[in-house]
Amino acid sequence: MEIPGECEYRSEPVLVTPSQPTPRCSLYLSNLDDQRFLRFSIKYLYVFPAVAAVAADALRAALARALVDYYPLAGRLRPSDDDDAGAKLLVDCNAEGALFAEAFLPSLTAGDFLQGSAKPHKSWRKLLYRVDASSFFAVPPLVVQVTRLGCGGMVLCTAISHCLCDGIASANFLHAWARAAAAAHTSVADATVLHDRRALRPRCPPRVAFTHPEYTSGGGTGTHPSLLSQLLSQPLAPVSLTFTASHLLRLKTGCSPSLRCTSFEALAAHVWRAWVLSLGPPPAMRVKLLFSVNVRRRLKPELPWSYSGNAFVLGCAEATAGELVASGSSGGVRLVQEAKECIDDDYVRSMVDLLEERRGAKPDLAATLVISAWTRLGLEDIDFGKGRAAHMGPLTSEIYCVFLPVVADGYPDGVTVLVSVPQAAAESFEHHCCLLDEEPATPAMALVDNDHDDGNKKLQGSHPDLVVHQHGRHDILA
């Protein structure tokens, strides 16, 4: 959906500082925080109907209280040595403040947005204040925009620096902010938040004991061009598919009884295989699936859930394109499981040491699908005191894949898969996502209108539980 009109800013954005004194210190980031590919902001978008909207003043005051516990978000990132491009990052915890903007967009209502919210559109970017900054370091770690809609509802967009927080940590912060708003002036201090990164410091000397295929180039070498370069050279179209609980069960039971698996494992393998089939790489090309694995409970000693930094590593499943396609869903699931099972305390320590030895190392993305699962973070449960959002999701669609919880009624425990693929491959990707291994390779599929899906469509036939939100030229992201 393209959002009409432009946001009206009736006042300049303000810096929201912690409401109480906070530690003034330099917080060194861990090697997991300090990775080059994390130098961006996680951008969440929430749409609240009028009954659940909260006044901007109340949100601003609650943010000031939440920043007391999450004070690094009110600081500023900088390299530890201004003269060294490879220097480690740190956060100046100086209470400079988070950027808070209030805008008005009377041409849009919450209902209008919800009717066309299957896939992000490039026009959605206007819902987040754009900081005019000369570098990554000049952008505050937390930027917020509250946009008032013509119906009395609101859109809340947040940009949280990924260098400071992973998905769990950012969700914890958003819940703390929501609790502060719901409790008004009541104290909601959370003394359990852990900002200290020393538990993830490298060993001396570093000991890299594993091969770490997630950082080893392979997919684009030799005579085969990089799939990533092909992706980036073509117009991209976002594809959104909602898998209901019954469809996820069907994917899982397709691997039984010989293989027990989780919903994530089954869906990740299924989407990875569909992605490869739709892009059609040479059978001999090695393709990878990277996915984030929370290591808080895999470390010795464990990190608490309230750890505020990045506590994930990338799991890496790998095969040739031909092997993955021929192996069916069970083969892909086994690869995902093996990638998860090898991640323990020793593996994480080895990865931290690898990043110490290879400053600036980046994951191998040459022929790789990256999946980030937002389904177990509780992001959809954010309530600022008047009710939960009617929509939650990312601000933009990217070439990495996001698994989203379904907010809409009627799809309990469902998962929405959102990813941008080359426009020419979008229909093929949808088609292969809708196939199960026991079905014919090229069945006849009829698209039928679904009156209950506000313009989206459902593929009818052997997969009645899969809702496909059709892509269109107007949805192509730059």
Side-chain angles (χ1 to χ4, degrees):
M1 171 192 169
E2 183 173 1
I3 295 177
E6 295 296 328
C7 290
E8 176 187 352
Y9 297 94
R10 299 174 186 173
S11 60
E12 292 294 320
V14 298
L15 289 173
V16 178
T17 60
S19 60
Q20 299 175 24
T22 56
R24 301 300 179 97
C25 61
S26 293
L27 177 65
Y28 281 82
L29 300 183
S30 78
N31 286 350
L32 298 185
D33 296 315
D34 198 20
Q35 299 180 77
R36 292 301 176 108
F37 84 101
L38 295 185
R39 293 192 178 185
F40 69 95
S41 295
I42 310 173
K43 298 177 177 67
Y44 299 115
L45 182 148
Y46 288 88
V47 180
F48 292 87
V51 294
V54 178
D57 288 346
L59 289 172
R60 195 162 47 243
L63 178 59
R65 293 194 293 276
L67 288 174
V68 174
D69 291 317
Y70 288 88
Y71 59 87
L73 290 174
R76 293 296 181 268
L77 281 163
R78 69 171 176 84
S80 58
D81 183 345
D82 293 335
D83 297 322
D84 184 357
K88 288 180 63 65
L89 291 183
L90 58 79
V91 185
D92 273 335
C93 298
N94 55 13
E96 189 170 335
L99 192 69
F100 187 101
E102 184 178 7
F104 299 84
L105 191 58
S107 61
L108 180 68
T109 69
D112 292 339
F113 188 97
L114 294 173
Q115 286 183 8
S117 62
K119 301 181 297 293
H121 185 271
K122 62 183 179 181
S123 64
W124 292 16
R125 295 169 182 168
K126 70 181 70 175
L127 297 171
L128 180 64
Y129 185 81
R130 183 171 182 174
V131 179
D132 186 11
S134 59
S135 72
F136 164 79
F137 300 108
V139 179
L142 175 61
V143 178
V144 174
Q145 178 171 319
V146 179
T147 304
R148 296 293 164 188
L149 306 179
C151 62
M154 72 176 188
V155 174
L156 175 66
C157 278
T158 62
I160 303 173
S161 174
H162 209 329
C163 292
L164 268 68
C165 299
D166 62 10
I168 292 172
S170 61
N172 287 344
F173 161 72
L174 291 172
H175 276 283
W177 181 14
R179 289 196 305 271
H185 299 292
T186 304
S187 173
V188 291
D190 186 356
T192 65
V193 181
L194 176 62
H195 300 298
D196 192 324
R197 267 69 166 173
R198 283 178 294 181
L200 287 170
R201 61 185 179 272
R203 294 171 291 194
C204 186
R207 299 192 301 278
V208 181
F210 297 85
T211 58
H212 296 290
E214 59 274 25
Y215 289 93
T216 303
S217 178
T221 59
T223 59
H224 300 313
S226 164
L227 270 186
L228 177 63
S229 65
Q230 294 181 36
L231 287 172
L232 296 178
S233 67
Q234 303 177 52
L236 298 178
V239 177
S240 177
L241 307 100
T242 296
F243 292 77
T244 66
S246 59
H247 193 85
L248 294 173
L249 179 61
R250 192 171 174 195
L251 288 176
K252 292 169 66 176
T253 54
C255 300
S256 298
S258 60
L259 186 65
R260 295 176 60 86
C261 62
T262 66
S263 294
F264 172 82
E265 292 163 356
L267 185 58
H270 185 68
V271 171
W272 181 31
R273 186 167 178 263
W275 183 80
V276 170
L277 282 165
S278 68
L279 297 180
M285 177 181 278
R286 295 201 69 78
V287 293
K288 295 181 181 181
L289 173 68
L290 298 183
F291 54 94
S292 54
V293 178
N294 172 32
V295 299
R296 285 166 173 80
R297 298 187 64 180
R298 294 172 185 251
L299 292 170
K300 297 178 181 179
E302 294 181 2
L303 283 174
W305 187 263
S306 60
Y307 178 71
S308 70
N310 286 281
F312 78 94
V313 300
L314 294 172
C316 179
E318 181 177 16
T320 67
E323 290 169 346
L324 180 64
V325 170
S327 67
S329 59
S330 295
V333 168
R334 287 190 185 93
L335 292 173
V336 173
Q337 290 179 334
E338 290 168 2
K340 287 173 60 179
E341 289 166 0
C342 75
I343 297 175
D344 56 12
D345 182 78
D346 290 336
Y347 193 91
V348 176
R349 304 295 176 189
S350 176
M351 182 175 290
V352 170
D353 290 349
L354 171 73
L355 296 171
E356 183 71 13
E357 289 188 341
R358 293 171 52 190
R359 304 294 305 159
K362 296 180 180 179
D364 173 26
L365 300 178
T368 304
L369 176 65
V370 181
I371 293 178
S372 178
W374 294 11
T375 48
R376 300 286 182 179
L377 305 180
L379 289 165
E380 71 277 20
D381 297 325
I382 301 297
D383 184 343
F384 288 91
K386 294 188 176 181
R388 295 191 298 176
H391 170 87
M392 185 284 300
L395 181 66
T396 60
S397 177
E398 310 289 351
I399 59 173
Y400 66 85
C401 179
V402 181
F403 288 0
L404 298 166
V406 179
V407 177
D409 293 335
Y411 296 99
D413 300 318
V415 176
T416 293
V417 174
L418 177 65
V419 63
S420 284
V421 298
Q423 183 183 356
E427 288 188 6
S428 176
F429 176 70
E430 293 171 353
H431 172 76
H432 288 297
C433 274
C434 296
L435 298 179
L436 296 180
D437 289 332
E438 66 269 18
E439 296 166 350
T442 55
M445 302 281 179
L447 276 171
V448 297
D449 289 329
N450 177 6
D451 294 336
H452 303 292
D453 215 16
D454 296 320
N456 299 318
K457 295 184 177 181
K458 179 183 285 186
L459 283 171
Q460 191 178 53
S462 58
H463 36 71
D465 300 312
L466 181 59
V467 177
V468 178
H469 310 291
Q470 287 297 91
H471 67 280
R473 185 175 299 275
H474 65 284
D475 283 325
I476 295 172
L477 296 179

